[in-house]
Amino acid sequence: MKQILPFSHTLYAKLYSLVLFVLLAYCLFNAIYSVIIGGKSVYLFSGLILIFQTIIVLKATAKKKIYNHIGLIGLILSLVYLNHWAFLFQHESIAILPSVILTLLSLDYFSQQHSRLNLLKATLVFGLFILAYTQYHDLNTLQNYYDSLHTGETWQQYGAL
């Protein structure tokens, strides 16, 4: 079967990379803002690790398996440190899902079959959407907490601002 457009594969790859980096940028900026006003710092660390892992996966390097495994282990250790072994029951642990998927994408077993690769790519985007929604929900919860203080100031004036 002949392709309709000869550049469609590269166009789809660039659009997919753009969607990934827009989602990761949203997660990172949301995490930075949340930390500035007094929110949880685990999202900032997970955002930085996920950006590092995404760059390593998209870049053709020989040691991408090692770097992605280190990123996954670092994310799990930071969650264990912050939540004292109950990290799987916290909603911040949703950041593990994109990290595990990025680690699986670095393995040759999944990258050689297109059906598995496409499934992992779709799951990665879905996992990043869930992470972005969780961060948005936590930021709204923080906003509602600051609104409940009734000091007459806006909620943006709390924290480090």
Side-chain angles (χ1 to χ4, degrees), residues 88-143:
L88 290 176
F89 301 110
Q90 304 294 325
H91 61 277
E92 296 95 10
S93 65
I94 197 66
I96 292 176
L97 177 66
S99 183
V100 167
I101 294 169
L102 285 168
T103 305
L104 290 176
L105 279 173
S106 69
L107 299 175
D108 293 332
Y109 176 73
F110 292 101
S111 63
Q112 291 177 353
Q113 290 190 353
H114 292 293
S115 61
R116 291 181 188 151
L117 182 65
N118 291 335
L119 180 65
L120 280 178
K121 285 182 177 182
T123 309
L124 176 62
V125 171
F126 182 69
L128 287 175
F129 272 125
I130 292 174
L131 179 63
Y133 176 74
T134 305
Q135 286 181 348
Y136 176 76
H137 177 69
D138 279 354
L139 191 61
N140 280 340
T141 304
L142 189 63
Q143 177 184 5

Side-chain angles (χ1 to χ4, degrees), residues 54-113:
T54 304
I55 290 171
I56 295 298
V57 164
L58 295 179
K59 189 178 176 183
T61 125
K63 296 183 180 180
K64 67 182 177 180
K65 292 179 198 175
I66 295 170
Y67 293 139
N68 280 329
H69 284 84
I70 290 172
L72 178 63
I73 290 169
L75 182 61
I76 290 173
L77 287 178
S78 67
L79 285 169
V80 166
Y81 175 73
L82 293 173
N83 295 317
H84 306 292
W85 296 104
F87 70 94
L88 290 176
F89 301 110
Q90 304 294 325
H91 61 277
E92 296 95 10
S93 65
I94 197 66
I96 292 176
L97 177 66
S99 183
V100 167
I101 294 169
L102 285 168
T103 305
L104 290 176
L105 279 173
S106 69
L107 299 175
D108 293 332
Y109 176 73
F110 292 101
S111 63
Q112 291 177 353
Q113 290 190 353

Side-chain angles (χ1 to χ4, degrees), residues 6 19 29 36 43 74 99 109 124:
V19 167
F29 289 136
I36 287 174
Y43 291 126
S99 183
Y109 176 73
L124 176 62

